[in-house]
Amino acid sequence: MIIIGEKINGSIPAVKEAIEKRDATFIADRAVQQTAAGAHFIDVCASTAPEFEIETLKWLMDVVQDATDTPLCIDSPNPRVIEAVFKYANKPGMLNSISEEGNKSEILLPLMAGNSWEVVGLTCDNKGIPNDVETKVEITRTMVEKAAQYGITPDRIHIDPCVMALSTENNSLLNFTQEIRAIKEMYPTIHVTGAISNISFGLPVRSLLNKTGIAFAIQAGMDSAVLDPLNREMMGTIFATYALMGQDRHCRKYSKAYRAGQIGPAAK
């Protein structure tokens, strides 16, 4: 499972405060902790006023890159912001994100030509997030074909089928797993990602639904996720799921994660 650490986002109150105070120590600590917990990418998202976003995102990138070698996932709903800060990345990482909404693909995909950058692709367009599998698959196809024009192969793309909240769509997870299977069948080497916590929005004991949901999603083929790597229960579910699916020979990764303190009860 490719883990995209989600804990440096200005929409989180503590992170917003750290950004406002330019508390580099707080941001750096979050980056280091996520790296130690197994994050493969550190998502950096300013979530601030548009006129300050470029400056803030560059500051976040600089702080995180000074603290850890883990590649960045540069995150903004505005592709022009990502384009503006792209040159400040020390090494290839991930762009978050393209879609068929507006001209996001046309702005960001050229940045990935001739290098090893990866990208998140949301299955939405100018009409919003579709409810049917067929439209999401077609949006995926369009993005993959556009990416190919720049020499970007499917294995560099992380498709996010945009899981819906179970509280508003009773078949949300069933649809999500169907979408994962359909996308992986069409492009076997593509990654499927997402924020599985969206599934539990508006419901009690959200962690229970999130853990159960990711187990189903992994079984369907999800191999990338935006989540909190410091959440030991969620990480434990991920390692346990791969072991139970027979994809962890002799449970070595599961056992290693336990010994490393990534899963199991927290030390007292």
Side-chain angles (χ1 to χ4, degrees), residues 121-178:
L122 305 178
T123 56
C124 58
D125 56 20
N126 292 322
K127 298 178 182 178
I129 301 173
N131 292 322
D132 61 292
V133 175
E134 293 75 18
T135 303
K136 289 188 177 183
V137 169
E138 190 55 38
I139 290 173
T140 298
R141 188 196 310 274
T142 300
M143 288 190 290
V144 170
E145 290 177 353
K146 286 183 178 180
Q149 297 174 18
Y150 299 95
I152 302 164
T153 50
D155 61 301
R156 292 169 58 192
I157 302 172
H158 297 243
I159 292 294
D160 183 351
C162 302
V163 63
M164 307 302 288
L166 189 64
S167 57
T168 58
E169 171 53 64
N170 195 58
N171 291 324
S172 176
L173 184 66
L174 296 177
N175 293 340
F176 187 56
T177 55
Q178 186 178 355

Side-chain angles (χ1 to χ4, degrees), residues 36 47 109 161 178 200 202 266 268:
S47 292
L109 288 175
Q178 186 178 355
S200 64
K268 295 182 180 180

Side-chain angles (χ1 to χ4, degrees), residues 21 39 52 71 81 90-92 106 109 118 159 171-172 182 217 233 243 258-259 263 268:
K21 293 180 178 179
F52 303 118
V81 170
N90 293 341
K91 64 170 68 172
E106 287 71 18
L109 288 175
E118 300 180 30
I159 292 294
N171 291 324
S172 176
E233 291 188 354
Y258 174 74
R259 291 194 298 272
I263 64 175
K268 295 182 180 180

Side-chain angles (χ1 to χ4, degrees), residues 8 24 27-32 35 41-44 56-74 85-94 117:
I8 300 178
I27 299 298
D29 285 348
R30 285 213 159 193
V32 170
T35 295
F41 296 89
I42 303 294
D43 190 87
V44 285
T56 302
L57 192 51
K58 180 185 180 299
W59 177 76
L60 287 173
M61 291 171 63
D62 289 343
V63 172
V64 172
Q65 290 181 125
D66 284 344
T68 178
D69 290 330
T70 303
L72 298 174
C73 176
I74 306 175
V85 301
F86 179 79
K87 61 186 176 183
Y88 299 115
N90 293 341
K91 64 170 68 172
M94 185 180 294
W117 277 84

